[in-house]
């Protein structure tokens, strides 16, 4: 009798362990909290403020997702991850979704068994140097010592760039952004390379930002976006369309401030579908309620508002929209139709 | 007629497996073994199920793919076109070189401190106690970071070493200058030392898959030959001493035997030094080129490991020396031996028997602790195979398994070698 109980338990745990990743949506709902993998500290994108609360461009997407799924933008548990630990954290199920300026690449999408569901920031890799170094182009960096975060695509781009230009460099491998900045600041490396947005964010957090310049070369394509595990398509859909809802909201001029007014007065059928005030119930198609997108937009505003509040030109980071403008304004951000 | 009754025939019943002390221990052992095997099987099964659920397999093929990343410190030729296997090998050598240097330096320092701690000089003994207590009682990781930050924050930038024409005419001196006749420069990036170069090296021949570096083989052969010749000399001297009571002077013969063949070989191979010099195509982009650059991550790791383990080894040495009964040194003094000879001839040989076994475990710990180099981004085995390779390929299970196996093998080898040494110095009972 005891034996059969033991084997029964054994079989049950094995089955449980085997299917633990199938229903992320059910897990999140049951838990009542979204577990979001974020950057351990990159100003503007995902970093704890003085009170220890996470803030940033990526973090706001976590909040919107939590609002859509759990119903409360505050019900998020942030798990700080480094470049080295992020994918293991996602693959092992430690986090539900990774929104941590991670580059969409072929190998990560296929071999690492992840799904990049959208691109929330179109980026490229750049170099930052001290102004008094007198270098004006990355091609002049022959013989330079370069600080580089390990476990990133930038590490591979760096090697390719120097090889393609037939110049040499000495890599100084560092674990995260803050260590890279400390070494760069103390002069232990001539240049620091990472995504241009990350460079802008790092530069803004330095003592005298104006003493450092970001070189004009962008040496790679770095589409950054939220990542989920392979195999749970419904969860991937929810993350993807939550993001698209924020884009659509910007396109339709729905903001955090006017969302209630728009919801009650709009006559646009697409906006009605989006905000769940018409007859169509889009949320039910992916296991959510009717007003999921309304809550997501109300959490931190639409894409444009999130951008301006965290990394836009009015912030110390001061990034222009550039490629990340809506397609209607010459950018690449484009949401498929909500129908 | 005998009163003794026949012992009852041992009819084996199932209950005896538990009730009979003759069988009980076997029963328990077998049950525990089965449970243990079931546990292992469950772990293995769980791993396979979970990998299958994530659509992953166990495959070591990634080891032969191109890495695409660079490693600052590599003892064998390596570029970003090399394979992940090569990168792992580079990392392994980086681990071993830190472990080896750390073991040697910490042993030397540890023995000196351990002996000095027992000194009759009150000040020296107390200073050594303070050293030991400070280093032994602060986590090693903190020492590694402290040493690293001290090097990278306090040393001048390469640009400070530069002498411009304007400075020469104005008679100014640069903010920093090189040491040892302009041959060594410690910057905030690393330590630049001269590199030995050979102008007439022997060729490298390929024997099947293995490439033999004849230069290295020649150097090793000459060193081995010299050491062997020296041992023959010393043995003869000992024999003469046994026979006549008079030991012939050997120090200059030893020096000649050890040094001359090596120097001659170096002349034959055309040894010269390449000194680090300041370069930079652009006025401001100044770096040291040429020579060997030792990154501060290596220096910090080695220095911290040495200082920390020296304090631990010092305690081991002190314990070993104090384990020798007072009568031994007193007898040696009574025979008129000086303190230093008493230490070398009487105390240390006996103390070694007590010292070696704990020393083995210190060496093992030191080797494993090299993986703390992660704190200063030292690219050892953990940094390459268990760090960047793991991350770029996403093969966590394979990389971790390989890494654990390699550390296990290194530890077993150290253990075996030290046990063999222990067997050679331990008390021979005949």
């Amino acid at each position: 009798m005891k034996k059969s109980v033991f084997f029964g338990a054994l079989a049950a745990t094995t089955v449980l362990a085997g299917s633990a990743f199938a229903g992320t949506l059910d897990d999140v709902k049951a838990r009542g909290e979204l577990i979001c993998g974020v950057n351990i500290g990159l100003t503007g994108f995902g970093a704890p403020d003085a009170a220890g609360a996470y803030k940033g461009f990526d973090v706001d997407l976590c909040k919107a997702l939590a609002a859509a799924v759990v119903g409360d933008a505050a019900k998020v548990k942030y798990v700080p991850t480094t470049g080295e630990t992020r994918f293991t954290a996602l693959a092992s199920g430690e986090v539900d979704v990774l929104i941590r300026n991670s580059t969409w690449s072929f190998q990560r999408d296929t071999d690492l068994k992840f799904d990049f569901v959208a691109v929330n920031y179109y980026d490229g890799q750049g170099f930052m140097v001290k102004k008094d170094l007198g270098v004006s182009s990355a091609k002049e960096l022959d013989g330079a010592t370069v600080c580089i975060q390990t476990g990133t695509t930038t590490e591979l781009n760096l090697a390719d760039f120097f090889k393609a230009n037939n110049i040499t460099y000495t890599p100084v491998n560092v674990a995260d952004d803050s260590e890279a900045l400390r070494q760069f600041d103390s002069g232990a490396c001539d240049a620091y390379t990472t995504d241009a947005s990350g460079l802008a964010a790092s530069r803004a957090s330095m003592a005298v930002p104006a003493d450092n310049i970001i070189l004009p070369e962008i040496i790679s394509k770095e589409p950054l976006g939220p990542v989920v595990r392979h195999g749970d398509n419904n969860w991937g859909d929810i993350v993807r369309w939550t993001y698209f809802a924020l884009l659509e909201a910007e396109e339709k001029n729905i903001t955090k401030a006017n969302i209630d007014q728009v919801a009650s007065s709009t006559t646009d059928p697409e906006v009605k579908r989006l905000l769940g005030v018409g007859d169509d119930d889009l949320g039910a198609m992916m296991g959510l309620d009717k007003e999921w997108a309304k809550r997501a937009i109300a959490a931190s505003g639409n894409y444009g508002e999130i951008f301006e509040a965290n990394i836009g030109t009015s912030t110390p980071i001061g990034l222009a929209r550039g490629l990340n403008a809506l397609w209607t304004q010459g950018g690449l951000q484009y949401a498929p139709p909500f129908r | 007629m005998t009163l003794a009754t026949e012992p009852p025939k041992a009819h084996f019943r199932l209950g005896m497996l538990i009730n009979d002390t003759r069988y009980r221990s076997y029963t328990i052992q077998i049950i525990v073994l089965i449970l243990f095997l079931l546990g292992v099987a469950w772990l293995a099964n769980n791993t396979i199920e979970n990998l299958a659920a994530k659509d992953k397999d166990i495959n070591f093929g990634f080891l032969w793919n191109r890495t695409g990343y660079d490693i600052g410190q590599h003892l064998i030729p390596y570029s970003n076109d090399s394979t992940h296997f090569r990168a792992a090998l580079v990392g392994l050598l980086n681990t071993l070189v830190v472990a080896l240097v750390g073991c040697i330096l910490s042993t030397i320092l540890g023995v000196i401190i351990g002996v000095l701690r027992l000194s009759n000089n009150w000040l020296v003994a107390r200073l050594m106690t303070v050293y030991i207590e400070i280093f032994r009682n602060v986590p090693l990781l903190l020492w590694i970071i402290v040493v690293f930050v001290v090097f990278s924050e306090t040393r001048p930038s390469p640009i400070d070493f530069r002498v411009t024409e304007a400075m020469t005419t104005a008679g100014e001196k640069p903010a920093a200058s090189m040491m040892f006749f302009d041959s060594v420069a410690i910057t905030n990036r690393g330590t630049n030392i001269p590199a030995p170069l050979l102008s007439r090296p022997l060729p490298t021949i390929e024997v099947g898959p293995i490439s033999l570096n004849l230069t290295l083989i020649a150097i090793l052969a000459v060193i081995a030959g010299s050491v062997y010749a020296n041992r023959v000399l010393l043995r003869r001297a000992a024999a003469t001493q046994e026979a006549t009571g008079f030991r012939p002077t050997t120090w200059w013969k030893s020096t000649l035997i050890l040094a001359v063949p090596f120097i001659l070989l170096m002349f034959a191979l055309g040894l010269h030094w390449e000194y680090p010099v300041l370069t930079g195509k652009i006025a401001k982009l100044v770096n040291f080129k040429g020579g060997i650059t030792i990154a501060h991550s290596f220096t910090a790791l080695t220095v911290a490991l040495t200082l920390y383990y020296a304090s631990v080894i010092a305690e081991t040495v002190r314990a070993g020396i104090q384990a020798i009964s007072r009568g031994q040194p007193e007898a040696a003094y009574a025979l008129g031996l000086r303190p230093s000879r008493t230490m070398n001839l009487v105390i240390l040989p006996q103390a070694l028997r007590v010292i070696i076994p704990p020393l083995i475990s210190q060496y093992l710990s030191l080797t494993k602790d090299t993986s703390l180099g992660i704190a200063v981004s030292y690219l050892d085995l953990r940094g390459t195979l268990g760090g960047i390779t793991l991350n770029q390929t996403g093969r966590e299970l394979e990389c971790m398994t390989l890494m654990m196996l390699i550390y296990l093998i290194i530890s077993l080898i150290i253990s075996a070698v030290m046990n063999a040494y222990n067997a050679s110095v331990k008390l021979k009972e005949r």
Side-chain angles (χ1 to χ4, degrees):
Chain A
M1 192 58 214
K2 261 184 187 165
K3 240 183 209 168
S4 65
V5 169
F6 176 72
F7 282 115
L10 198 69
T13 35
T14 318
V15 169
L16 262 180
S19 63
F21 303 124
T24 313
L25 175 62
D26 295 336
D27 290 349
V28 175
K29 277 182 171 170
R31 203 190 297 128
E33 187 179 54
L34 174 77
I35 303 181
C36 201
V38 292
N39 199 310
I40 198 165
L42 180 60
T43 314
F45 283 84
D49 64 9
Y54 265 91
K55 285 210 160 60
F57 180 73
D58 285 338
V59 171
D60 278 348
L61 187 50
C62 292
K63 286 181 180 164
L65 190 60
V69 176
V70 193
D72 185 349
K75 291 273 171 59
V76 191
K77 184 183 166 198
Y78 299 102
V79 175
T81 55
T82 66
E84 276 201 336
T85 60
R86 55 185 162 172
F87 293 123
T88 314
L90 180 62
S92 66
E94 194 185 335
V95 299
D96 298 317
V97 59
L98 183 72
I99 310 182
R100 187 212 173 275
N101 52 313
S102 299
T103 304
W104 185 353
S105 73
F106 179 87
Q107 185 243 0
R108 286 175 180 175
D109 206 341
T110 58
D111 193 32
L112 290 193
K113 310 293 181 198
F114 294 129
D115 279 335
F116 285 77
V117 293
V119 177
N120 69 339
Y121 192 94
Y122 287 95
D123 209 341
Q125 184 179 346
F127 292 90
M128 177 162 70
V129 294
K130 293 234 167 66
K131 206 172 193 174
D132 60 12
L133 198 62
V135 172
S136 58
S137 159
K139 289 176 185 163
E140 295 169 14
L141 286 174
D142 193 8
T145 309
V146 183
C147 277
I148 174 89
Q149 291 184 57
T150 63
T152 58
T153 49
T154 50
E155 193 168 37
L156 308 178
N157 298 330
L158 177 71
D160 289 350
F161 174 77
F162 276 80
K163 180 178 273 180
N165 287 291
N166 205 17
I167 49 180
T168 60
Y169 73 105
T170 310
V172 176
N173 308 77
V174 294
D176 57 40
D177 196 68
S178 60
E179 173 63 12
L181 270 189
R182 192 191 66 73
Q183 296 231 23
F184 176 73
D185 215 21
S186 72
C189 41
D190 295 311
Y192 172 37
T193 179
T194 186
D195 299 339
S197 63
L199 288 179
S202 300
R203 184 168 169 267
S205 66
M206 296 184 80
V208 188
D211 283 351
N212 306 282
I213 54 168
I214 295 171
L215 298 178
E217 281 89 352
I218 295 294
I219 66 169
S220 69
K221 289 185 285 191
E222 305 284 342
L224 311 179
V227 199
V228 296
R229 287 178 291 271
H230 246 349
D232 189 353
N233 295 11
N234 185 50
W235 178 245
D237 289 342
I238 292 172
V239 179
R240 177 184 298 117
W241 285 93
T242 304
Y243 171 67
F244 285 151
L246 302 182
L247 277 186
E248 187 72 15
E250 188 186 6
E251 198 177 328
K252 300 285 184 189
N253 285 321
I254 307 168
T255 64
K256 193 178 178 179
N258 72 5
I259 186 162
D260 285 323
Q261 183 214 332
V262 172
S264 58
S265 66
T266 183
T267 53
D268 183 338
E270 181 145 23
V271 174
K272 278 188 165 179
R273 277 197 296 277
L274 178 68
L275 297 183
V277 291
D279 296 330
D280 299 297
D281 187 354
L282 296 185
M285 296 180 196
M286 49 185 194
L288 298 179
D289 63 323
K290 212 170 168 185
E291 295 198 318
W292 64 279
K294 190 178 170 196
R295 285 195 306 272
I297 299 163
S300 307
N302 63 37
Y303 180 80
E305 285 179 281
I306 293 175
F307 193 104
E308 287 307 327
N310 292 299
I311 52 178
T313 40
S314 61
T315 64
I317 298 165
L319 290 169
R321 284 294 286 271
L323 288 176
N324 295 295
L326 288 182
W327 63 288
T328 49
Q329 285 146 25
L332 291 175
Q333 294 292 359
Y334 182 105
F338 275 79
R339 61 169 67 248
Chain B
M1 182 180 165
T2 168
L3 285 175
T5 49
E6 283 271 304
K9 276 266 164 66
H11 289 295
F12 182 77
R13 297 182 313 277
L14 214 55
M16 284 165 72
L17 283 179
I18 298 168
N19 299 329
D20 193 322
T21 47
R22 283 175 296 174
Y23 303 117
R24 192 190 290 147
S25 66
Y26 291 111
T27 315
I28 294 173
Q29 287 183 44
I30 288 172
I31 290 176
V32 170
L33 182 67
I34 290 175
L35 286 179
F36 174 74
L37 289 179
L38 276 177
V40 172
W42 180 76
L43 281 178
N45 183 46
N46 197 30
T47 311
I48 294 168
E49 294 257 341
N50 275 305
L51 283 177
K54 279 194 270 169
D55 205 12
K56 284 189 162 187
D57 57 348
I58 299 179
N59 184 350
F60 288 91
F62 70 94
L63 283 174
W64 310 109
N65 294 345
R66 175 181 182 270
T67 58
Y69 63 86
D70 284 295
I71 300 176
Q73 175 188 327
H74 47 90
L75 300 179
I76 50 173
Y78 173 87
S79 79
N80 52 48
D81 285 330
S82 307
T83 61
H84 284 293
F85 180 77
R86 188 91 179 169
L89 211 58
V90 170
L92 174 62
L93 287 175
N94 284 350
T95 294
L96 290 180
V97 76
V98 168
L100 186 70
V101 175
C103 282
I104 293 173
L105 291 182
S106 61
T107 307
I108 296 172
L109 196 61
V111 169
I112 294 173
I113 292 169
V115 171
L116 285 184
R117 200 186 167 185
L118 295 172
S119 162
N120 290 328
N121 184 323
W122 185 87
L123 184 64
V124 170
R126 288 301 169 279
L127 277 179
M128 292 306 132
T129 310
V130 168
Y131 171 89
I132 288 172
E133 295 306 334
I134 286 179
F135 276 90
R136 208 172 50 151
N137 293 315
V138 174
L140 175 56
L141 184 63
L142 294 186
W143 285 121
I144 295 175
I145 295 174
V146 164
V147 176
F148 182 75
V149 170
V150 164
F151 270 114
S152 67
E153 296 280 347
T154 61
R155 294 303 305 168
S157 178
I159 198 165
D160 294 329
F161 287 83
R162 197 173 46 144
V163 187
T164 57
E165 279 189 28
M167 286 163 77
T168 325
T169 48
E172 286 174 6
K173 290 210 161 179
S177 55
M178 295 169 74
M179 300 187 285
F180 304 115
F181 309 104
D182 278 359
S183 63
V184 175
I186 306 178
T187 70
N188 56 3
R189 289 161 193 194
T191 309
N192 298 279
I193 57 168
L197 287 184
L198 302 173
S199 50
R200 294 181 293 275
L202 296 172
T204 299
I205 54 168
E206 304 283 335
V207 184
I210 310 157
S211 59
L212 290 178
N213 189 336
L214 285 184
T215 317
L216 191 67
I217 292 172
I219 292 173
L220 289 180
V222 166
I223 291 176
S226 308
V227 169
Y228 178 73
N230 187 41
R231 282 186 64 171
V232 170
L233 175 81
L234 290 182
R235 216 174 295 148
R236 281 216 188 127
T240 316
Q241 190 179 15
E242 292 269 313
T244 63
F246 169 74
R247 189 179 176 86
T249 325
T250 55
W251 66 266
W252 61 270
K253 289 181 197 159
S254 282
T255 315
L256 278 185
I257 289 177
L258 289 177
V260 169
F262 187 75
I263 293 173
L264 284 180
L265 179 74
M266 285 300 124
F267 261 111
L269 293 173
L271 175 78
H272 60 274
W273 297 92
E274 184 192 51
Y275 292 97
V277 282
L278 275 180
T279 55
K281 282 182 181 169
I282 299 174
K284 298 274 185 172
L285 189 57
V286 178
N287 261 326
F288 277 97
K289 268 207 169 167
I292 297 173
T293 305
I294 303 170
H296 281 326
S297 51
F298 173 83
T299 319
L301 191 56
T302 313
V303 169
L305 281 172
T306 301
L307 294 180
Y308 179 83
Y309 276 97
S311 67
V312 183
I313 290 173
E315 281 297 88
T316 313
V317 170
R318 182 187 59 81
I321 292 173
Q322 287 188 331
I324 307 301
S325 75
R326 285 293 302 157
Q328 298 272 346
E330 279 167 5
Y333 293 143
L335 285 173
L337 284 179
R338 275 169 280 136
S340 63
R341 304 218 82 187
T342 309
M343 181 58 85
N344 288 333
L345 295 175
V346 179
I347 300 177
L348 273 185
Q350 300 186 74
L352 274 182
R353 284 174 208 142
V354 185
I355 294 171
I356 299 284
L359 196 62
I360 300 176
S361 59
Q362 303 308 343
Y363 284 172
L364 290 179
S365 306
L366 190 150
T367 308
K368 285 178 286 179
D369 280 350
T370 55
S371 57
L372 287 174
I374 182 181
V376 288
S377 297
Y378 180 68
L379 288 184
D380 61 350
L381 188 64
R382 205 226 65 89
T384 58
L385 180 65
I388 308 181
T389 292
L390 182 153
N391 224 274
Q392 302 289 11
T393 61
R395 297 272 171 192
E396 296 97 350
L397 197 70
E398 291 88 337
C399 288
M400 282 297 165
T401 314
L402 267 184
M403 210 165 69
M404 283 160 65
L405 268 181
I406 294 174
Y407 275 117
L408 182 67
I409 291 170
I410 297 176
S411 294
L412 288 180
I413 291 175
I414 294 175
S415 196
V417 169
M418 291 301 290
N419 279 325
Y421 180 63
N422 189 35
S424 76
V425 295
K426 79 173 177 198
L427 193 62
K428 309 263 189 322
E429 292 181 10
R430 296 189 175 93

